[in-house]
Amino acid sequence: MSKLHIDSITKSYGSKKILQDIYLTCETGQIVAILGGIGSGKSMLLQIIFGTMKGDSQFIKFNDEILTKQSDRRNKIAYLPQSPIFPKDIRIKNLIPLFCNPENTRKLYQSDLIRPLLNRTTRNLSGGERKLVEVLTVIHSEAEFILLEQPYSGLSPILTEKVMKMIKEISQEKGFIISDFMTEFALELSDEIYLLHDGILKQIKDLTELQQHYYLPKSI
């Protein structure tokens, strides 16, 4: 079992603190959900964990190794942001091996979800098809911890259900940190749920806490 330990993350813009002393852990075999409104800092937090953004302070450790550079995350942490990550003019069948080992490449080539898209480029995919290819490729990468930002955005309900099932299966061997707006998906899939609100990350035990922070209406 591997462990990702995140501690003392702070980030400010001018006088405004976006993240205040964030603490979070995730182990392989675990799915952690981070809820929060637009502008709450979810994307910023994932970028700092992945190493493409520097916090004002931060401490990130993979097992016993302290991660200081983005290159330290290689094969340890993978990140799928909300914005597209793949080049537009390369065929999907040529992109997948860049992220996945031969075994997982073959698995995706044989997937009923991916096989019809293999000879197309991302330029010729719909938004939902692009998101599907990106999510499935990243979760089958070599990394032990997967950071996903709104992974179901643009997916149909049927595809969302299939992707959630696949994440659940893969989480037996990997750890997931998933940021989203959708409480229902977090409740269904995750082992732990956190709310990022006013720069503070708070673990959520039940729905009433989300209602107290005005994240859910009190009628639920």
Side-chain angles (χ1 to χ4, degrees), residues 79-88 122 126-127 130-131 134:
Y79 170 45
L80 178 63
Q82 187 178 6
S83 56
I85 62 170
F86 287 162
K88 293 182 178 180
T122 54
S126 68
R130 174 186 59 77
K131 176 65 77 171
E134 290 180 343

Side-chain angles (χ1 to χ4, degrees), residues 106-169:
R106 286 192 296 272
K107 186 183 298 185
L108 287 177
Y109 282 177
Q110 295 166 4
S111 166
D112 291 339
L113 297 176
I114 296 294
R115 192 167 58 241
L117 308 176
L118 288 174
N119 287 312
R120 296 166 62 182
T121 66
T122 54
R123 183 185 296 279
N124 296 314
L125 299 181
S126 68
E129 289 170 336
R130 174 186 59 77
K131 176 65 77 171
L132 178 67
V133 170
E134 290 180 343
V135 171
L136 295 190
T137 301
V138 168
I139 68 177
H140 283 90
S141 70
E142 289 287 273
E144 291 190 61
F145 290 93
I146 310 294
L147 314 179
L148 299 175
E149 184 178 342
Q150 298 184 50
Y152 320 114
S153 174
L155 297 183
S156 68
I158 292 176
L159 285 180
T160 296
E161 184 177 337
K162 290 181 177 181
V163 168
M164 289 175 68
K165 181 179 179 182
M166 198 171 294
I167 289 174
K168 193 69 175 178
E169 292 171 354

Side-chain angles (χ1 to χ4, degrees), residues 20-210:
Q20 301 186 51
D21 200 24
I22 301 294
Y23 171 87
L24 181 68
T25 62
C26 181
E27 298 178 349
T28 49
Q30 185 178 37
I31 300 175
V32 175
I34 300 177
L35 299 174
I38 296 173
S40 60
K42 301 188 304 299
S43 298
M44 184 181 293
L45 175 58
L46 295 187
Q47 290 175 53
I48 292 172
I49 295 171
F50 185 56
T52 49
M53 180 181 288
K54 279 285 188 183
D56 299 332
S57 66
Q58 63 185 64
F59 180 85
I60 301 169
K61 186 166 70 171
F62 174 87
N63 294 333
D64 294 325
E65 179 185 355
I66 298 174
L67 307 180
T68 57
K69 303 184 298 295
Q70 206 281 318
S71 59
D72 294 338
R73 277 81 162 168
R74 183 175 176 81
N75 292 335
K76 299 180 180 73
I77 305 175
Y79 170 45
L80 178 63
Q82 187 178 6
S83 56
I85 62 170
F86 287 162
K88 293 182 178 180
D89 296 313
I90 301 178
R91 294 185 189 274
I92 302 306
K93 66 180 180 181
N94 296 326
L95 280 169
I96 291 174
L98 301 178
F99 292 82
C100 302
N101 62 29
E103 179 183 354
N104 283 341
T105 295
R106 286 192 296 272
K107 186 183 298 185
L108 287 177
Y109 282 177
Q110 295 166 4
S111 166
D112 291 339
L113 297 176
I114 296 294
R115 192 167 58 241
L117 308 176
L118 288 174
N119 287 312
R120 296 166 62 182
T121 66
T122 54
R123 183 185 296 279
N124 296 314
L125 299 181
S126 68
E129 289 170 336
R130 174 186 59 77
K131 176 65 77 171
L132 178 67
V133 170
E134 290 180 343
V135 171
L136 295 190
T137 301
V138 168
I139 68 177
H140 283 90
S141 70
E142 289 287 273
E144 291 190 61
F145 290 93
I146 310 294
L147 314 179
L148 299 175
E149 184 178 342
Q150 298 184 50
Y152 320 114
S153 174
L155 297 183
S156 68
I158 292 176
L159 285 180
T160 296
E161 184 177 337
K162 290 181 177 181
V163 168
M164 289 175 68
K165 181 179 179 182
M166 198 171 294
I167 289 174
K168 193 69 175 178
E169 292 171 354
I170 294 175
S171 71
Q172 297 177 34
E173 300 176 352
K174 298 177 183 280
F176 284 83
I177 301 177
I178 303 175
S179 78
D180 210 342
F181 298 109
M182 305 301 292
T183 306
E184 60 182 295
F185 297 151
L187 291 173
E188 181 177 346
L189 189 66
S190 307
D191 302 300
E192 293 185 359
I193 299 174
Y194 291 81
L195 177 65
L196 185 55
H197 180 72
D198 288 340
I200 297 171
L201 191 66
K202 175 180 173 57
Q203 187 170 8
I204 299 299
K205 298 297 186 182
D206 57 56
L207 289 180
T208 59
E209 294 183 76
L210 292 175

